[in-house]
Amino acid sequence: MEFPENVESREFGYIPFGGGMVRHLSFRNSGEASAEIFKQSPSSVYCSNARYEYPARPIEEKGWLGAELIFDIDATDIPTPCKRGHDIWYCEKCHASGKLPRPPKCPKCEGTTVEFHGICGVCLGAAKDHALRVMAFLEDDFGVSRSAIRLYFSGNRGYHLHVFDSRFDLLDQLGRGEVADYVRGDSLPPTQTIASILRRRPAGAPAEGEGWTRHVTAYVAERWPGYDGTLRKLVSEAIGSQRALVDSSVTTDVHRVFRLAGTLHGDTGLCKMRVQPDSSFDPLKDPVVLSPKPASISVDFYPRFKLGGKEFGPFRSQTVELPTYATIQILTRGLGEVA
Ligand SMILES: [Zn+2]
Ligand SMILES: [Zn+2]
């Protein structure tokens, strides 16, 4: 487990197997925290990015002392073409399945249909790419040193970035929202407006300005001569290829608890782990820490998936033997039972 600095000022929480979240816990040091976590052996362990005077009290009495800036990048929020293949619907009754949009009733048996959102290496690669974009904004536009940024695989569908730069610690919700809007490119004027400003510049003029102005003008300066399309389209490309689709609601929440690095994600059995930005980390292989020992499960329905360097499925109303690590997501989605 990887504990943050100032353990004594953090709020901890956990979810026991088969239970609800227990929050507002505090420990004097990482040793005491580890001992309690091992004793409880919960399904999930969380720790606040905020520091409090009294971390164990209810929110309004905690005495907020500041919080690290955090970004959450979830593959679900990033449009990738492969989603058309692995985001599907299935019938709870007869386990028929098909492409989205989900029909209100199963065309075969009139049973209830449910959406299934899959995940793949392409989606997770896109999420990492967006995390690296956030890092670039932080370094280039906010002057954050690379050593102050920690990148984590979340253990499920994306990445977390923790920024250990005290300049951000006291930012309120509004200020954090502005930073999130900035990296998302949400505070930019419409592409039409930007294009009409750029149109007044001499063709091939070099990059200028700061921040987004520089990012857009640099992109345009490099590609505009001989570009096959409108200036507006190029501007939209410049923004689309550099914006980072972070989940703003996570960045702005200053009382949130986050999964502790080095612990397992309760829904996937994958480890939340620190990732070196330039490493060839494989999120469908490296965070697999559970046993490869075969386990027998009866699966109602599960599409093809990759994990631990192997490919499994698709399964429909059958009993199969899978490595233990590959059974967790099927069981936690309620789509199978231990046979
Ligand atoms: Zn059906
Ligand atoms: Zn995908």
Side-chain angles (χ1 to χ4, degrees), residues 11 34-35 42 49 80 94 107 123 134 146 153 164 171 197 199 231 243 251 256 262 268 282 318 322:
E11 176 194 350
S34 307
N49 59 326
T80 41
C94 77
C123 290
V134 178
R146 174 161 276 222
F153 171 62
F164 294 86
L171 268 188
I197 295 167
R199 209 164 277 126
L231 187 54
R243 69 194 303 219
T251 300
R256 212 178 174 96
T268 60
D282 181 347
Q318 65 194 108
L322 295 176

Side-chain angles (χ1 to χ4, degrees), residues 32-103:
E32 196 183 275
S34 307
E36 181 64 13
I37 293 166
F38 281 119
K39 192 176 128 202
Q40 299 292 343
S41 295
S43 146
S44 292
V45 185
Y46 303 90
C47 175
S48 65
N49 59 326
R51 294 178 308 282
Y52 301 100
E53 209 172 341
Y54 308 106
R57 293 191 186 172
I59 294 275
E60 56 279 5
E61 294 170 23
K62 280 187 191 307
W64 192 81
L65 299 172
E68 284 107 36
L69 183 65
I70 290 200
F71 297 94
D72 173 54
I73 301 101
D74 194 309
T76 319
D77 301 330
I78 302 170
T80 41
C82 49
K83 287 199 169 70
R84 283 166 54 86
H86 55 65
D87 287 2
I88 55 173
W89 65 267
Y90 68 91
C91 168
E92 283 192 315
K93 202 168 150 204
C94 77
H95 308 139
S97 62
K99 283 196 190 320
L100 296 180
R102 174 179 68 88

Side-chain angles (χ1 to χ4, degrees), residues 293-314:
K293 218 178 101 191
S296 188
I297 64 170
S298 72
V299 186
D300 292 339
F301 165 82
Y302 215 81
R304 190 191 306 276
F305 67 103
K306 256 189 184 168
L307 202 61
K310 293 200 170 79
E311 212 168 288
F312 306 101

